[in-house]
Amino acid sequence: MALANQKQTATEARLAGLTLPKGGWSEPARQAALARLQAMGLPQRRDEYWKYTRPDTLIDTQAPAAAVFVTEESKMFDVFDRLNIVFVDGVYDADASDDLSLEAVHIERLANIAEMDIHWAKDIYGALENNAQKPVERPLAALNTAFAEDGVIIHVTGKPSKPICLSYIHNSVTSDAILHHVVRVDAGAELTLLETGPAAARFNKVIEIDIADGGTLHHIRAQGRDHERRAVTHIFARLGEKSVFKAFTVTVNGVLTRNECVIELIGDEAIAHVAGVCVGDGDFHHDDTVFITHDAQNCESRQVFKKVLRNGATGVFQGKILVKAGAQKTDGYQISQALLLDEDSQFLAKPELEIYADDVICSHGSTTGAIDEDALYYLRSRGVPKGAATDLLTLAFLAEAVEEIDDSVIAAAIVSRLESWLARR
Amino acid sequence: MLNINNLHVDLQEEDKQILKGVDLTVEAGTVHAIMGPNGSGKSTLSYVLSGKDGYEVTDGTATLDGLDLLDMEPEDRAAAGLFLAFQYPVEIPGVGNMTFLRTAVNAQRKARGEDEMSAADFLKLVRARAKDLKIDADMLKRPVNVGFSGGEKKRNEILQMAMLEPKMCILDETDSGLDVDAMKLVAQGVNALRAEGRSFLVITHYQRLLDHIKPDVVHIMADGKIIKTGGPDLALDVENNGYADILAEVA
Ligand SMILES: Nc1ncnc2c1ncn2[C@@H]1O[C@H](COP(=O)(O)OP(=O)(O)O)[C@@H](O)[C@H]1O
Ligand SMILES: [Mg+2]
């Protein structure tokens, strides 16, 4: 069957089970997204952009079952003072959530504002996603825009005293969740946004982020440790002059994760850092797909991704820096590295640079390696047992990415989570 | 303390024999020196004793207070009291020197069934020992050996030895690459550790280290064997006349 036919069949099958929410400012945005999706079709294995990651289970009509992972450990970020917003299998849980009120920030739910005649979110919802459909198609994000019934709509007007945390609980073995968040950061405003938890058996999530001049957003997420969960996520961010966006993701377990991050630097002197660590064991496939466009002068972007893989786990990195004509003095950096703890695991990397300005510094690198035998012997010769020595070297490998987190308390929490993963060998 | 008997060792990869029957006994509380031309197998001996991969023992034994070293994992040999100061200390990016030291100290204590050292006690001890070796706070914080000068690396080896308090210390060319002052520091560090129940095996090319660390016994190693054993005078003899006479004498 030709690729186009395959896509059409898959898309029709998937759409048959979904209902487009009606009414309000959001309906035209959803209709437009649906039209985009139908024109593109859902991704197939033969799509170049999905060469290393099978989209099958992400586009199936039903979410494959995923057992809920039971652990005594407290959830990531539970110890922090934060405004907590809880979704269970993608459904907002009012009882478990804090009041949506915090100074210097306005928080609403998509479900409550979608049917209004007019809302500021109209200018962002689906707009950043649409904008990111070129040059590479991202059909699962269009699907999200069309069908997401809920999400959090955040307007940051100042500097709230504590982070907002989105906690995603996975409760049903077959849940299929779609959430769409919008974050607007005003000029000079600053927020830390935390996300944690597996969300559902299958999770499709989009965040659209618009940061005005001089605004700052720190985004830190932990994707939950349910072994069988699947997730496809997209971050679409647009950065104004002198704005800062720093995103960090830690992924422990999960049978399939595709994290796409699309950032456009449109104001001079903007800074974007995206980093991530993932640790996977056995039936684990993790894909970081990043696309950063420099469309202004004196901007800086950094991508730092580290993966630890064992027992046949697979890691994927597709990272691109596009420097448009006129984006002079761009400073772009990209590194992706995998530590393979055995020969069954694999890392597939596709770093790309595309540069149309002449006065730029861009560098990228990608490495795949095993534990350094000399370092291991040195540690053991000092009495550190082989397992503990391997763990120490593994954490050392991840350290460069974890250092990307500005907040040392959050960084320490992430390191301890990684340590506990290592300990469960 | 250390008993090496007829030790024969091949390089695993190349099927090449390096040690061709080493016999050596180091009594408790003594300092032995091994000298010998480059390539005679001195480092190989120290690696085989501490448990590095890549060597095959084809014959002979090595025991530490009766324990069969060759049958033990490297970490167990360390916990049993064996320590090797490396000729080429390894750099470990991403692991802080302090974390490394503390992990090692506590791992050995745990292996011996002792309580872990408290963070405060550890800090106090490491500061005192580091000060003696002129190792500053910055060197303790930095990743293990990364960006250290040759001399700093060697002093860091002695710091580890001082913290771990092993009973059998092997020093592989700890003096090479050191200026006179640094060598004195290292020698002082070693001498401070000299004790009744502790032995040293000092591998060196030069008499000058032995001026500071006085050996009880000196061995000459050549082509994978100990070819001559004597008192401290033997080192002086090598210093003045080189190895040629000794090699000729044996041949
Ligand atoms: N990993 C190795 N690969 C190849 N040859 C080696 C290796 N290790 C040691 N050798 C050889 O073994 C011999 C002894 O080396 P070594 O123990 O380092 O001697 P020394 O420390 O006395 O200078 C030399 O001929 C050296 O080239
Ligand atoms: Mg040597």
Side-chain angles (χ1 to χ4, degrees):
Chain A
M1 199 167 24
L3 184 58
N5 283 342
Q6 250 179 27
K7 284 191 182 221
Q8 201 185 349
T9 311
T11 309
E12 277 167 13
R14 179 75 180 108
L15 292 180
L18 293 166
T19 319
L20 196 87
K22 291 272 189 271
W25 62 267
S26 67
E27 191 177 334
R30 295 178 188 283
Q31 294 286 6
L34 178 60
R36 280 199 285 287
L37 171 61
Q38 283 167 326
M40 295 184 273
L42 285 167
Q44 299 291 313
R45 187 79 201 282
R46 279 193 276 160
D47 283 316
E48 184 62 24
Y49 216 44
W50 290 85
K51 194 169 165 185
Y52 304 124
T53 299
R54 281 180 175 278
D56 320 24
T57 54
L58 297 174
I59 66 169
D60 271 355
T61 52
Q62 301 287 327
V68 175
F69 182 67
V70 183
T71 170
E72 299 286 290
E73 287 174 69
S74 67
K75 299 215 160 40
M76 197 87 177
F77 310 136
D78 266 8
V79 295
F80 298 135
D81 184 22
R82 77 243 197 265
L83 186 138
N84 196 29
I85 302 173
V86 181
F87 290 90
V88 179
D89 292 316
V91 178
Y92 179 71
D93 185 335
D95 293 338
S97 299
D98 293 332
D99 283 346
L100 301 185
S101 81
L102 183 63
E103 81 289 344
V105 58
H106 198 63
I107 310 166
E108 294 169 287
R109 283 175 52 206
L110 177 62
N112 293 338
I113 64 153
E115 289 170 41
M116 292 176 175
D117 290 339
I118 187 79
H119 192 276
W120 62 261
K122 176 174 179 286
D123 293 335
I124 301 173
Y125 188 92
L128 270 53
E129 172 257 299
N130 180 33
N131 200 34
Q133 296 293 354
K134 282 193 185 92
V136 195
E137 293 177 349
R138 306 173 198 279
L140 286 161
L143 180 132
N144 180 300
T145 299
F147 296 99
E149 290 180 19
D150 212 347
V152 181
I153 309 294
I154 300 171
H155 181 190
V156 193
T157 55
K159 297 187 177 172
S161 58
K162 55 185 175 187
I164 293 173
C165 180
L166 307 179
S167 297
Y168 306 120
I169 315 279
H170 172 204
N171 192 34
S172 148
V173 174
T174 55
S175 53
D176 194 13
I178 303 179
L179 289 175
H180 194 121
H181 310 303
V182 172
V183 181
R184 172 180 163 197
V185 181
D186 281 354
E190 179 168 350
L191 178 75
T192 297
L193 178 67
L194 308 172
E195 289 185 282
T196 178
R202 182 169 69 181
F203 190 29
N204 179 333
K205 188 198 64 187
V206 166
I207 306 188
E208 289 175 294
I209 297 166
D210 190 20
I211 310 180
D213 297 352
T216 298
L217 181 69
H218 293 276
H219 174 233
I220 291 137
R221 73 175 153 179
Q223 295 192 291
R225 287 180 291 161
D226 296 23
H227 290 274
E228 294 169 312
R229 61 129 191 95
R230 290 158 205 277
V232 55
T233 76
H234 291 82
I235 294 171
F236 300 108
R238 182 164 68 192
L239 274 62
E241 195 176 306
K242 292 187 176 147
S243 67
V244 176
F245 175 51
K246 293 193 181 178
F248 182 89
T249 301
V250 57
T251 309
V252 176
N253 303 346
V255 67
L256 176 61
T257 309
R258 162 92 161 198
N259 291 330
E260 295 195 22
C261 181
V262 186
I263 299 174
E264 234 196 332
L265 300 113
I266 58 167
D268 293 347
E269 295 176 52
I271 294 173
H273 292 183
V274 248
V277 305
C278 82
V279 291
D281 192 318
D283 198 2
F284 172 93
H285 183 107
H286 184 96
D287 176 337
D288 285 298
T289 291
V290 181
F291 198 116
I292 296 184
T293 305
H294 283 261
D295 198 7
Q297 297 195 10
N298 280 301
C299 291
E300 173 191 310
S301 71
R302 268 176 80 79
Q303 303 170 46
V304 180
F305 287 88
K306 300 259 193 173
K307 296 173 165 59
V308 175
L309 305 164
R310 70 181 178 212
N311 289 324
T314 300
V316 174
F317 176 77
Q318 304 190 99
K320 177 155 181 169
I321 306 173
L322 169 63
V323 181
K324 289 200 174 172
Q328 302 296 8
K329 309 279 184 199
T330 286
D331 182 356
Y333 174 74
Q334 179 194 89
I335 182 88
S336 66
Q337 295 183 302
L339 175 63
L340 307 183
L341 295 181
D342 52 54
E343 283 169 10
D344 300 330
S345 303
Q346 61 171 347
F347 177 52
L348 306 161
K350 189 180 170 196
E352 277 184 287
L353 292 178
E354 195 177 326
I355 301 174
Y356 298 101
D358 49 20
D359 187 13
V360 303
I361 305 168
C362 279
S363 63
H364 66 93
S366 182
T367 65
T368 305
I371 287 280
D372 178 348
E373 287 299 326
D374 288 336
L376 187 65
Y377 162 58
Y378 191 64
L379 286 167
R380 294 179 73 189
S381 79
R382 296 321 184 223
V384 184
K386 188 176 183 187
T390 305
D391 291 358
L392 203 57
L393 294 173
T394 303
L395 285 171
F397 166 78
L398 294 172
E400 191 196 343
V402 177
E403 278 163 16
E404 295 289 311
I405 303 172
D406 285 352
D407 187 317
S408 60
V409 178
I410 293 175
I414 284 169
V415 167
S416 84
R417 177 90 348 139
L418 294 168
E419 281 170 346
S420 81
W421 178 83
L422 290 166
R424 284 198 315 267
R425 180 178 323 107
Chain B
M1 168 87 49
L2 180 66
N3 280 286
I4 303 170
N5 215 314
N6 193 33
L7 189 63
H8 287 70
V9 171
D10 285 4
L11 266 182
Q12 243 160 22
E13 269 186 11
E14 296 179 31
D15 213 19
K16 175 177 159 192
Q17 192 175 48
I18 310 289
L19 299 185
K20 304 173 179 173
V22 174
D23 291 296
L24 184 68
T25 300
V26 180
E27 305 81 12
T30 61
V31 176
H32 285 226
I34 300 186
M35 304 179 81
N38 276 329
S40 54
K42 304 183 297 294
S43 291
T44 302
L45 176 63
S46 68
Y47 286 147
V48 169
L49 292 175
S50 79
K52 190 176 183 180
D53 277 346
Y55 302 99
E56 191 185 347
V57 176
T58 54
D59 202 3
T61 58
T63 59
L64 180 67
D65 282 341
L67 289 171
D68 178 4
L69 281 177
L70 303 178
D71 199 32
M72 295 160 74
E73 298 294 341
E75 53 268 38
D76 297 332
R77 301 181 196 199
L82 184 78
F83 180 91
L84 168 63
F86 282 51
Q87 181 173 3
Y88 304 107
V90 179
E91 299 187 1
I92 314 183
V95 177
N97 211 9
M98 201 74 128
T99 307
F100 165 64
L101 281 168
R102 194 158 163 224
T103 307
V105 166
N106 283 330
Q108 291 203 9
R109 287 180 158 235
K110 199 173 157 201
R112 291 193 292 258
E114 301 163 13
D115 284 343
E116 291 198 349
M117 200 186 281
S118 77
D121 287 351
F122 173 81
L123 211 60
K124 221 168 114 188
L125 190 64
V126 83
R127 284 202 181 125
R129 296 274 151 95
K131 192 165 166 239
D132 293 342
L133 289 159
K134 295 214 164 70
I135 290 175
D136 59 20
D138 184 52
M139 259 176 77
L140 289 174
K141 255 190 257 157
R142 268 154 49 191
V144 181
N145 293 325
V146 176
F148 287 24
S149 70
E152 286 172 341
K153 283 181 181 168
K154 297 298 175 76
R155 277 186 279 146
N156 202 33
E157 293 292 288
I158 303 303
L159 174 64
Q160 292 165 42
M161 189 166 87
M163 291 300 296
L164 294 168
E165 300 181 336
K167 60 184 178 197
M168 181 69 235
C169 310
I170 305 173
L171 283 75
D172 190 1
E173 295 202 24
T174 301
D175 52 340
S176 65
L178 295 186
D179 59 31
V180 178
D181 290 340
M183 195 183 63
K184 277 186 188 159
L185 269 181
V186 163
Q188 276 167 18
V190 171
N191 287 330
L193 283 169
R194 289 189 68 163
E196 222 164 84
R198 184 172 291 134
S199 311
F200 294 85
L201 186 58
V202 181
I203 298 170
T204 182
H205 275 298
Y206 306 105
Q207 163 63 27
R208 58 172 203 177
L209 180 67
L210 303 180
D211 285 341
H212 298 283
I213 307 172
K214 297 262 185 305
D216 299 300
V217 183
V218 175
H219 308 272
I220 307 297
M221 188 163 180
D223 194 24
K225 277 183 174 174
I226 304 288
I227 56 163
K228 187 163 183 169
T229 295
D233 292 351
L234 186 53
L236 284 171
D237 189 23
V238 168
E239 180 82 358
N240 295 329
N241 307 317
Y243 295 109
D245 291 354
I246 299 170
L247 290 173
E249 190 183 308
V250 177

